[in-house]
């Protein structure tokens, strides 16, 4: 039986990560980042590995030639090994963005971003899966920046970018602390949802809570808008209840001043564990001179994403909306 390129890569990532996990006494995800680095550099970078295992690793690495694989094959195989590692232990807020959502965001980015070259920021870049799913879909020349607070995830993201040959600039920091980056034309983010524990930092934001901890997803929206050029677009994966929480009035006020709601696309509830965990895609445009609101915001209830016929219909409707409304 012929194995697919993705399976072939998966097997090598997995088997070599298992060897390194044991040698380095680390987690599977840490070992995966290490093996990815080795594959990218074409050498074994860890001094601790025994002679026998150096031989075993070399043999496996010699079997793959990354240039024979497409970026999407590499991304998918890497995503599968990360998913395997995340099954061991991962907080819900650290989960990778699923492909179906990444593909939709990529589609929207392509429809809204008409410039041939632009700057793109993902302030919650995680493993880089969402960012590279988008980059692999769009023909534009993109200079991208990823920020992530978790040091294992950012290492996975940086290895992911190297293996797929995407020149992404990464920052390992809290995105709600000052960001030293040039303004961007677009933002994508699968927002971390919940309370932000640093009240002192939150005090710098218009969207801080009057009492107690602020919502990190609100602060992320404000921080992203701050770093976007006037007229730039922002694509967020948000909880469905965003406009219903007790803090929603502040958010509405903020949007009135700073951003236009271009679209709200509700993802199918069956993609999530329960109704309360369901999410939507929010498309914003930063206000600025000459920036006009759409005649009507794009409001979509997405069908089951696995139904090709229904998806096709929805994508055609989105396309029609973009033609009629995008100014
Ligand atoms: N799109 C990512 C991917 O494909 O892997 C997944 C994003 S995940 C839903 C949200 C991410 O936000 C997590 O990786 C989490 O570590 C990160 N995060 C949470 N709080 C943060 C903060 N204050 N600054 C930077 N990153 C943060």
């Amino acid at each position: 039986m012929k194995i697919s390129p993705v399976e072939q890569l998966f097997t090598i990532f997995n088997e070599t990560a298992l060897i390194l996990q044991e040698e380095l006494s680390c987690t599977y995800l840490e070992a995966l980042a290490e093996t990815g680095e080795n594959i990218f550099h074409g050498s074994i970078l860890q001094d601790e590995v025994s002679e026998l295992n150096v031989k075993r690793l070399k043999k496996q690495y010699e079997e793959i030639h990354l240039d024979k694989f497409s970026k999407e094959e590499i991304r998918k195989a890497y995503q599968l090994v990360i998913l395997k590692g995340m099954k061991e232990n991962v907080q819900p807020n650290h989960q990778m963005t699923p492909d179906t959502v990444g593909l939709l965001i990529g589609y929207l980015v392509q429809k809204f971003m008409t410039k041939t070259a632009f700057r793109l920021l993902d302030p919650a870049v995680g493993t880089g899966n969402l960012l590279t799913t988008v980059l692999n879909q769009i023909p534009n020349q993109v200079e991208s920046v990823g920020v992530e607070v978790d040091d294992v995830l950012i290492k996975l993201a940086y290895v992911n970018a190297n293996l797929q040959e995407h020149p992404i600039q990464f920052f390992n920091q809290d995105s709600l602390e000052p960001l030293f980056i040039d303004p961007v034309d677009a933002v994508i983010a699968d927002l971390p949802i919940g309370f932000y524990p640093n009240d002192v930092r939150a005090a710098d934001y218009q969207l801080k809570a009057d009492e107690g901890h602020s919502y990190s997803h609100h602060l992320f929206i404000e921080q992203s808008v701050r770093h976007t050029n006037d007229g730039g677009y922002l694509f967020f994966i948000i909880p469905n209840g965003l406009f219903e929480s007790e803090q929603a009035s502040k958010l509405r006020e903020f949007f009135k001043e700073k951003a236009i709601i271009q679209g709200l696309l509700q993802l199918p509830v069956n993609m999530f564990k329960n109704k309360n965990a369901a999410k939507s895609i929010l498309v914003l445009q930063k206000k600025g001179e000459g920036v006009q609101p759409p005649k009507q915001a794009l409001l979509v209830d997405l069908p089951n994403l696995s139904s090709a016929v229904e998806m096709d219909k929805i994508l055609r409707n989105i396309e029609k909306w973009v033609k009629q409304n995008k100014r």
Side-chain angles (χ1 to χ4, degrees), residues 86 92-98 122-131 133 147-150 153 173-177 189-193 196 216 220 237 279:
M86 283 192 165
N93 249 340
H94 285 191
Q95 264 161 16
M96 246 185 312
T97 309
D122 183 344
V125 74
T127 61
N129 192 47
L130 171 64
L131 180 56
T133 308
V147 189
E148 170 59 52
V149 74
D150 183 297
L153 293 180
Q173 66 158 87
D174 177 347
S175 290
L176 301 173
E177 295 278 345
D190 185 352
L191 296 176
I193 296 162
Y196 181 57
S216 53
F220 258 81
I237 299 159
K279 294 185 183 177

Side-chain angles (χ1 to χ4, degrees), residues 177-234:
E177 295 278 345
L179 282 178
F180 298 99
I181 59 167
D182 289 335
V184 297
D185 307 295
V187 174
I188 54 170
D190 185 352
L191 296 176
I193 296 162
F195 289 110
Y196 181 57
N198 186 344
D199 293 337
V200 177
R201 174 56 50 208
D204 279 352
Y205 289 81
Q206 184 178 337
L207 291 175
K208 65 172 188 291
D210 292 333
E211 266 173 43
H213 292 327
S214 308
Y215 281 132
S216 53
H217 44 295
H218 288 200
L219 306 184
F220 258 81
I221 292 177
E222 184 173 341
Q223 177 74 319
S224 303
V225 170
R226 275 187 199 169
H227 288 275
T228 305
N229 286 319
D230 287 358
Y233 288 94
L234 304 96

